[in-house]
Amino acid sequence: MEDKYNLLKVHIEKIVALTEEEFAFVKQSFIRKEYKKSDCIFKEGENVKYIYFVLSGLLKLYYTDENSKEHIVSFAMEDWWESDIQAFYTNGDASFTLECLEDTELLCLSLENFERMCNNLQKMERFFLRKSIAGHIGSQQRILSFLTSGAKERYEQLITRNPVLVQRIPKLVLASYLGVSRETLSRLFS
Amino acid sequence: MEDKYNLLKVHIEKIVALTEEEFAFVKQSFIRKEYKKSDCIFKEGENVKYIYFVLSGLLKLYYTDENSKEHIVSFAMEDWWESDIQAFYTNGDASFTLECLEDTELLCLSLENFERMCNNLQKMERFFLRKSIAGHIGSQQRILSFLTSGAKERYEQLITRNPVLVQRIPKLVLASYLGVSRETLSRLFS
């Protein structure tokens, strides 16, 4: 149990150092939850109560169009944060669905606890600023990947940035993320 | 001159209140620059020294593909921030070009001054956290707009969020942002 929270501590301390007392305060702001493969954390149209820090497992965040086709916005695995951030910060409804691709364990942070942490511990405000900038950069890169015409180029960008992620994602899901057929993906792989 | 910086003060004070002394410190962190319509603030491959707060004018941030086709990532006008944020925060080269669609006046903030401000004034760290979250939300919305199939829907989303912006953007540029021909855009307008 302690060990699991240790992943969060190591993660935070890459950016800011915390005393034992400070980390105890941070820790109690989170709720730990377990999900099975194929469980949905939230679905499109539902209220989004938390941002999630992934302790183990793999998630996909996706949008479903009017033809029921899935479009993947992003993936998240251990040591990453994920949510429908607009819905979370504005207390609105989800535009996306967040689903487990593997059995997954999450630390869940509510908006109330997020704000309490920032108000009481300047280091955590700094931490979240750095993470938010990183998230914003990630989104700008995903936009760039939409604008980049070639699927081969998109695939190469992804494998350069996240080789471990690419190994773990089912091929059909990866093909969907890249916007290509499974056959095209097989050609890229070889 | 004072009046111009007042736009920045009002902008910041929507999130955090500043004393006169604090604002004087904030103000001296910025350099003011003027550009003409069609000037490029930075081009793809160049070093990105600043994030920009727009005092007046209109900008487009775009990616140019291997066929020299422009793909627009985002627009920015008065009271907005803009930059190639990955290049800015990582001291890397620009993936995008930032170009003026109108005569434009900017307040420019270097990474060094950004960090000095955050280190010396917690309120500004809070301010940038809120703006960074807003920027991240904006990028997630732009990703959603790529995943949303209909150009009509994308157009309606844009006009709902930013009616003033839509009025000011040349129609050909707007068509490029929406990924449609000018003829299709004319049909959407009517």
Side-chain angles (χ1 to χ4, degrees):
Chain A
M1 182 75 175
E2 276 308 309
D3 281 354
K4 286 179 175 173
Y5 280 92
N6 197 47
L7 185 66
L8 178 66
K9 188 163 192 278
V10 170
H11 176 80
I12 294 171
E13 295 206 320
K14 281 178 198 158
I15 297 172
V16 290
L18 295 178
T19 66
E20 285 304 314
E21 196 190 3
E22 285 167 345
F23 185 65
F25 169 70
V26 167
K27 206 169 119 175
Q28 69 172 15
S29 303
F30 288 85
I31 302 167
R32 199 168 64 88
K33 291 194 180 182
E34 289 179 19
Y35 294 89
K36 290 285 171 200
K37 182 176 171 175
S38 302
D39 281 354
C40 286
I41 317 292
F42 57 76
K43 289 181 181 173
E44 201 179 319
E46 290 180 359
N47 190 240
V48 177
K49 290 196 187 69
Y50 305 104
I51 41 173
Y52 301 94
F53 177 74
V54 185
L55 287 177
S56 65
L58 183 62
L59 300 162
K60 64 171 175 178
L61 184 73
Y62 63 93
Y63 167 74
T64 311
D65 70 19
E66 62 269 38
N67 302 316
S68 305
K69 199 183 161 198
E70 264 180 35
H71 301 268
I72 297 169
V73 176
S74 51
F75 297 106
M77 57 179 193
E78 297 87 48
D79 213 34
W80 291 17
W81 294 83
E82 188 61 282
S83 197
D84 180 324
I85 49 168
Q86 178 176 35
F88 173 74
Y89 285 112
T90 63
N91 207 15
D93 295 334
S95 303
F96 308 111
T97 297
L98 183 60
E99 184 183 323
C100 301
L101 290 172
E102 299 175 0
D103 291 353
T104 296
E105 207 173 348
L106 300 172
L107 291 180
C108 315
L109 179 64
S110 69
L111 188 56
E112 193 187 339
N113 282 354
F114 165 78
E115 284 176 347
R116 198 167 53 95
M117 235 195 287
C118 290
N119 288 337
N120 289 289
L121 198 52
Q122 187 185 355
K123 286 176 188 175
M124 287 309 291
E125 193 151 59
R126 162 148 311 184
F127 169 77
F128 283 116
L129 174 57
R130 300 296 143 165
K131 295 314 287 185
S132 176
I133 289 168
H136 191 176
I137 289 173
S139 295
Q140 240 188 27
Q141 283 176 337
R142 179 78 174 127
I143 292 173
L144 182 59
S145 87
F146 279 108
L147 300 175
T148 305
S149 42
K152 187 167 187 290
E153 213 170 335
R154 288 205 293 280
Y155 174 69
E156 282 165 358
Q157 282 167 5
L158 187 66
I159 210 163
T160 305
R161 276 185 213 131
N162 299 303
V164 176
L165 183 68
V166 172
Q167 292 309 313
R168 276 168 65 182
I169 298 170
K171 297 295 160 283
L172 203 59
V173 176
L174 188 59
S176 160
Y177 180 82
L178 295 169
V180 298
S181 68
R182 193 169 172 173
E183 292 67 37
T184 305
L185 185 68
S186 299
R187 264 193 287 111
L188 295 178
F189 258 103
S190 59
Chain B
M1 179 74 175
E2 276 309 310
D3 280 355
K4 287 181 174 172
Y5 279 92
N6 197 47
L7 185 66
L8 178 66
K9 189 162 191 282
V10 170
H11 175 80
I12 293 171
E13 294 205 322
K14 282 177 197 158
I15 297 173
V16 290
L18 295 178
T19 65
E20 286 304 315
E21 194 189 2
E22 285 167 344
F23 185 66
F25 169 68
V26 167
K27 205 170 120 175
Q28 69 171 16
S29 303
F30 288 84
I31 303 166
R32 198 168 63 88
K33 291 193 181 183
E34 288 179 19
Y35 294 89
K36 290 286 170 199
K37 183 176 170 176
S38 303
D39 281 354
C40 287
I41 317 293
F42 56 77
K43 289 183 181 172
E44 200 179 319
E46 289 180 0
N47 191 240
V48 177
K49 290 197 188 67
Y50 304 104
I51 42 174
Y52 302 93
F53 177 73
V54 185
L55 287 177
S56 65
L58 183 62
L59 300 162
K60 64 171 175 177
L61 183 72
Y62 63 94
Y63 166 74
T64 312
D65 70 18
E66 62 270 37
N67 303 315
S68 304
K69 198 181 161 200
E70 263 181 35
H71 301 269
I72 296 169
V73 176
S74 52
F75 297 107
M77 58 180 192
E78 295 87 51
D79 212 34
W80 291 18
W81 293 82
E82 189 61 281
S83 196
D84 179 325
I85 48 166
Q86 179 176 34
F88 173 73
Y89 285 112
T90 63
N91 206 14
D93 295 333
S95 303
F96 307 112
T97 297
L98 184 60
E99 183 182 323
C100 300
L101 290 171
E102 299 175 359
D103 290 354
T104 296
E105 206 173 349
L106 301 172
L107 291 179
C108 315
L109 179 64
S110 68
L111 187 57
E112 192 187 341
N113 282 355
F114 165 78
E115 285 176 347
R116 197 167 54 97
M117 236 196 281
C118 290
N119 288 336
N120 289 289
L121 199 51
Q122 186 183 358
K123 286 176 188 175
M124 287 309 290
E125 193 151 59
R126 161 148 311 185
F127 168 77
F128 284 116
L129 174 57
R130 302 293 144 169
K131 295 315 287 184
S132 175
I133 290 169
H136 191 177
I137 290 173
S139 294
Q140 242 189 23
Q141 283 176 336
R142 178 78 173 128
I143 291 173
L144 182 59
S145 85
F146 278 108
L147 299 177
T148 306
S149 43
K152 186 165 186 290
E153 214 171 331
R154 289 203 292 278
Y155 174 69
E156 281 164 359
Q157 282 167 7
L158 187 68
I159 209 160
T160 305
R161 278 186 211 129
N162 298 303
V164 176
L165 182 69
V166 172
Q167 294 309 315
R168 276 168 66 182
I169 298 171
K171 295 297 160 277
L172 203 59
V173 176
L174 187 58
S176 159
Y177 180 81
L178 295 168
V180 298
S181 68
R182 193 168 174 172
E183 291 69 35
T184 304
L185 186 68
S186 299
R187 265 191 287 114
L188 295 179
F189 258 103
S190 61

